[in-house]
Amino acid sequence: MTDTLDTVFAALADPTRRAILSMLLEDDMAVTDVAEPFDISLAAISKHLTILTRAGLISQDKRGRVKWCKLEPDALRAASVWMQSFGQFDPVDLDDFEKFLKVELGD
């Protein structure tokens, strides 16, 4: 499971890949449509899609001559469960934390 989480989080670490996932929330998309809003080459988009596919976050299939991408939302389940396990902690009050640091650091 750790390898899977590592792969998912590594894929999610890139803003272009997160943007692609957001686009695929709407519907399946052809690779060329995925690439359109980005100011990078189609080859670079293909590399991002390969990483997302290896992480299981998307699937790709060929329909005729067109390669399509589909979001695989279940792939995020393990990551989501892992992150929710940290929900047991109270949120940090940043104002209080800043005051604490000022006192401790003498600023």
Side-chain angles (χ1 to χ4, degrees):
M1 181 168 160
T2 302
D3 289 343
T4 303
L5 280 176
D6 290 347
T7 304
V8 168
F9 283 119
L12 294 173
D14 184 87
T16 300
R17 292 192 286 269
R18 290 193 306 270
I20 291 169
L21 292 175
S22 294
M23 291 166 51
L24 292 173
L25 278 171
E26 300 295 321
D27 201 3
D28 298 358
M29 296 178 75
V31 170
T32 53
D33 293 334
V34 170
E36 187 180 319
F38 299 101
D39 192 24
I40 58 178
S41 70
L42 188 56
I45 288 294
S46 291
K47 287 181 182 181
H48 285 297
L49 294 175
T50 298
I51 291 167
L52 291 170
T53 301
R54 285 185 185 150
L57 296 170
I58 68 168
S59 59
Q60 296 184 65
D61 65 293
K62 204 162 190 178
R63 301 178 199 164
R65 292 182 171 186
V66 179
K67 198 169 198 180
W68 287 80
C69 301
K70 177 183 177 186
L71 183 68
E72 297 294 342
D74 288 343
L76 286 173
R77 185 166 310 193
S80 177
V81 168
W82 184 82
M83 288 186 295
Q84 287 175 4
S85 68
F86 292 97
Q88 64 189 339
F89 301 107
D90 293 331
V92 174
D93 182 332
L94 295 178
D95 290 332
D96 286 345
F97 185 61
E98 182 180 16
K99 290 175 189 171
F100 168 78
L101 288 176
K102 284 183 178 180
V103 168
E104 289 299 311
L105 298 175
D107 289 340

